[in-house]
Amino acid sequence: MIIVLKNNADAQKVEELKQTLTGKGFKLHLSQGENTTIIGLIGDTSNISEDWLYAKDVVDSVKRIKEPYKKANRDMHPSDTVVDIGGVKIGGGSFAVIAGPCSVETRPQMIEVAEDVKSSGAQLLRGGAFKPRTSPYSFQGLGSEGLKLLKEAKKATGLPIVTEIMQIGHLDLFEDVDVIQVGTRNMQNFELLKELGKTKKPILLKRGMANTLEELLMSAEYIMAGGNEQVILCERGIRTFETSMRNTLDISAVPMLKKKTHLPVIIDPSHAAGLKFMVEPLTMAAIAAGADGVMIEVHNNPEKALCDGMQSLTPKMFDDLMNKVKKTVPFFGKTMAAQVPVNR
Ligand code: PEP
Ligand code: MN
C-alpha cells in the first residue's frame, strides 16, 4: 500500500502516523521529496482500510497495491479449489449442474422434478424453502416444511441438495442440507456470512445484484476467514440500464473471477435472464467463458409455478439442454462431474 502525505504535513503528526503503522507490525519504506513524503507500507495490509488512513490529517492519498482479500486470492493459492459435495466435485476442471424448481411447493412436484433432473444428468438438486420475495404478499416458501420435502426428494433420488438460508436462526434446520445458498440479497449480510464461516458446509455465495466483484470476493473472505474455505461463487446477473431482461448476465465476471480467485465460479442463467428462451444460450456462454457449473430452474409445470415460472425450464427442455451441455463441456476442456448418490 502506498500512502502519499500532504505537502508540508505537520512533522509531529507524520511521526505519530509512522509510529502507529510500525506499531501495527508494518515495515515502512519512506521516499522523501522536496515537499511531499511517500510511505510504502510493507506487510499484510488486508486489515488496514483506506478510510482509516484518509481520516488522518496528514494523508493526501492512498493506493492499494494488493487486493484486500487474502484467503480468496489466487496469489495465495494458485491451484483451483475443488469443492467436494459428498463426491460431487465443482472446480478444478469438474463441471457440475444444479437443477430444480425455484421453490419447493408440494411433495409430488419436488419428487417428480428431482427424478427428472437426475435422469437428465444433474448432479445436485435445488429448491427454495425460505424465499426472499420483493413483495410480502407473494408466496414466501414453505419454510421448514419445504426443507422436509427437499430432504425427501434427496432420499428418493440420492441427489445432494442446495437451498437458501435467509437468517442465521435457521441454521439448525440446515443440518441435512448439502450446500447452503446465500442469495443475492444477503451477499453482504456480514453477520450471516460470519456464522456460515464457522460451519463445515459448502456455501454457494451469489453475487449481489449491485455489487462489484471485489465486494463478492470480500464476502467470500468473510466466510473463509471464519475457517470455512468451501465457497462456490455464483454470478446471477446484475442491475444495469437494460430492462428487456430481468438482469444482465455479467459473463465477464467468469474469466475475471477465475483470474482473481481459486474458488469455483458458477453461473445462474435463470435469474440472470428471467426468461426461459435465454437459459440455453447463457448456459453455453457460461461454459465457453470457463464456468465450473450452472444452476438452472426447472419446474414440472412452469405455468403453475408459485415463483419464477417465466424462467423455469420444463423437464423436457432441461433434458435437451443437458444433452448439449454434455457435448460442450469437454470441448472447453472440462469434464462433467459424476453423479454420486448421498445416503443421509
Ligand atoms: C434463488 O436462487 O432461488 C434466488 C432467490 O436467487 P437470487 O438470490 O440470485 O435472486
Ligand atoms: Mn427463482
Side-chain angles (χ1 to χ4, degrees):
M1 188 177 256
I2 291 170
I3 306 166
V4 180
L5 301 184
K6 285 184 181 149
N7 283 357
N8 307 314
D10 180 79
Q12 173 68 28
K13 287 196 168 168
V14 171
E15 201 45 46
E16 277 169 26
L17 176 63
K18 282 178 5 194
Q19 279 180 13
T20 310
L21 294 169
T22 40
K24 285 183 178 287
F26 291 105
K27 281 202 188 127
L28 308 187
H29 181 275
L30 287 160
S31 156
Q32 186 81 56
E34 247 173 53
N35 302 311
T36 310
T37 303
I38 295 174
I39 305 179
L41 210 53
I42 301 157
D44 177 7
T45 54
S46 52
N47 51 11
I48 290 256
S49 77
E50 283 100 322
D51 288 356
W52 178 78
L53 284 164
Y54 274 114
K56 316 276 173 223
D57 276 349
V58 294
V59 171
D60 183 59
S61 62
V62 179
K63 181 154 176 53
R64 193 181 274 286
I65 306 295
K66 193 93 201 75
E67 294 87 354
Y69 45 91
K70 282 191 287 191
K71 289 180 181 288
N73 202 319
R74 200 181 267 283
D75 284 357
M76 302 283 170
H77 187 298
S79 61
D80 287 348
T81 282
V82 181
V83 174
D84 189 326
I85 305 135
V88 175
K89 294 186 170 63
I90 306 188
S94 178
F95 187 95
V97 178
I98 306 170
C102 179
S103 313
V104 181
E105 297 171 7
T106 64
R107 179 175 289 109
Q109 170 238 16
M110 213 45 239
I111 304 281
E112 199 180 315
V113 178
E115 276 166 354
D116 284 339
V117 300
K118 182 187 179 185
S119 70
S120 299
Q123 294 85 6
L124 297 123
L125 176 67
R126 67 152 284 146
F130 297 96
K131 293 303 303 175
R133 303 304 301 277
T134 303
S135 166
Y137 308 116
S138 301
F139 175 59
Q140 301 286 305
L142 298 180
S144 50
E145 187 52 35
L147 287 181
K148 274 191 214 145
L149 298 179
L150 198 54
K151 284 185 230 166
E152 280 185 36
K154 166 177 167 174
K155 211 167 181 176
T157 57
L159 290 180
I161 51 178
V162 183
T163 194
E164 178 168 354
I165 194 163
M166 299 231 296
Q167 57 154 298
I168 205 61
H170 289 159
L171 191 57
D172 286 350
L173 300 171
F174 282 63
E175 203 171 319
D176 299 325
V177 168
D178 300 283
V179 178
I180 303 181
Q181 176 175 324
V182 176
T184 195
R185 295 159 185 84
N186 268 315
M187 189 203 87
Q188 288 192 315
N189 181 339
F190 301 118
E191 291 304 315
L192 179 61
L193 301 177
K194 280 189 222 167
E195 289 301 319
L196 294 173
K198 296 180 197 158
T199 70
K200 304 228 173 332
K201 300 256 184 208
I203 309 295
L204 175 61
L205 179 64
K206 298 188 88 172
R207 178 183 182 181
M209 62 184 93
N211 285 111
T212 63
L213 297 180
E214 183 164 297
E215 286 163 344
L216 171 62
L217 289 166
M218 290 307 286
S219 291
E221 192 77 15
Y222 260 93
I223 300 167
M224 298 173 89
N228 184 358
E229 305 207 348
Q230 300 274 94
V231 181
I232 304 157
L233 304 172
C234 179
E235 158 60 34
R236 46 78 69 204
I238 52 174
R239 284 268 167 96
T240 67
F241 47 79
E242 182 54 59
T243 54
S244 58
M245 294 153 294
R246 187 172 179 181
N247 294 285
T248 298
L249 179 64
D250 180 10
I251 199 76
S252 320
V254 180
M256 187 53 89
L257 285 170
K258 299 292 289 179
K259 183 173 164 61
K260 289 181 177 291
T261 182
H262 51 89
L263 296 172
V265 179
I266 71 164
I267 287 281
D268 172 349
S270 307
H271 289 91
L275 298 162
K276 37 169 110 33
F277 83 94
M278 287 188 71
V279 171
E280 181 179 311
L282 296 186
T283 298
M284 292 299 137
I287 299 169
D292 300 294
V294 283
M295 176 154 82
I296 294 172
E297 285 187 342
V298 181
H299 196 284
N300 53 346
N301 189 352
E303 282 184 63
K304 296 248 168 79
L306 296 180
C307 184
D308 288 351
M310 259 168 63
Q311 67 196 35
S312 299
L313 302 189
T314 61
K316 165 81 175 84
M317 290 171 83
F318 179 68
D319 193 62
D320 292 345
L321 173 57
M322 281 302 281
N323 287 330
K324 292 188 183 154
V325 167
K326 286 174 209 162
K327 286 190 199 126
T328 313
V329 164
F331 184 79
F332 285 97
K334 290 197 167 66
T335 47
M336 289 295 285
Q339 270 183 341
V340 185
V342 281
N343 39 22
R344 264 179 301 121

